[in-house]
Amino acid sequence: MAEERTFIAIKPDGVQRGLVGEIIKRFEQKGFKLVAMKFLTASEDLLKEHYIDLKDRPFYAGLCKYMHSGPVVAMVWEGLNAVKTGRVMLGETNPADSKPGTIRGDFCIQVGRNIIHGSDSVESAKKEAALWFKPEEMTAYKSCAVDWIYE
């Protein structure tokens, strides 16, 4: 089985609205394995690096400022097709385009308050996880539920 890891971050609006537990619950219930998690107020430097691909976009400065405005929950989840499936679970970047049953479809109204970030590719996931976590902060273990999740 080719497992992969994805980086997921609950943004300040998700934390402030008390949605951390619900979001973690959805990833756990799906069958993904949590391998790293931090609760922190991210530094401006970390956020500028995280969103470096967007630096030429008009909303870049505001996005970094917003993400620095309060605590976030940074996580790495592992499982089969974790990046693609995680993105489907999140819904569209613009919550207005998200289907009910997705995180953004159920909990968000505007794109500027879409409560969660998820890696958009395996390469991005590796880069983002390495940016937010040291190697020793990520765990490797076999979940006792693995045989009940995968064939």
Side-chain angles (χ1 to χ4, degrees):
M1 178 177 59
E3 290 193 347
E4 62 189 29
R5 290 180 171 181
T6 190
F7 176 79
I8 301 290
I10 303 172
K11 297 177 180 182
D13 51 327
V15 172
Q16 292 292 335
R17 291 179 55 202
L19 297 172
V20 172
E22 176 65 29
I23 291 168
I24 291 172
K25 176 183 171 184
R26 288 182 182 216
F27 279 86
E28 286 181 327
Q29 287 181 330
K30 183 68 178 175
F32 291 129
K33 180 173 68 173
L34 182 64
V35 297
M37 183 167 66
K38 285 182 184 178
F39 181 68
L40 72 156
T41 299
S43 71
E44 291 179 15
D45 288 341
L46 173 61
L47 294 166
K48 286 177 182 176
E49 181 62 27
H50 178 87
Y51 289 113
I52 194 75
D53 294 346
L54 303 173
K55 72 177 191 278
D56 295 327
R57 305 291 290 271
F59 57 83
Y60 173 75
L63 175 61
C64 291
K65 180 179 177 185
Y66 171 69
M67 288 294 292
H68 182 65
S69 71
V72 299
V73 178
M75 301 173 283
V76 178
W77 290 90
E78 184 177 275
L80 184 65
N81 297 317
V83 173
K84 180 180 178 184
T85 304
R87 294 286 291 187
V88 170
M89 291 171 62
L90 268 57
E92 300 299 321
T93 301
N94 184 346
D97 298 329
S98 294
K99 293 182 177 172
T102 66
I103 292 168
R104 291 175 178 148
D106 289 350
F107 301 115
C108 306
I109 295 172
Q110 288 187 309
V111 70
R113 297 292 182 267
N114 67 6
I115 73 169
I116 194 163
H117 165 85
S119 300
D120 62 4
S121 69
V122 174
E123 297 76 31
S124 292
K126 288 177 183 175
K127 178 183 159 201
E128 292 170 352
L131 186 62
W132 289 77
F133 295 95
K134 298 173 188 165
E136 62 269 19
E137 293 176 313
M138 288 194 263
T139 61
Y141 65 100
K142 181 180 178 185
S143 169
C144 62
V146 73
D147 293 331
W148 300 107
I149 296 169
Y150 298 106
E151 296 181 278

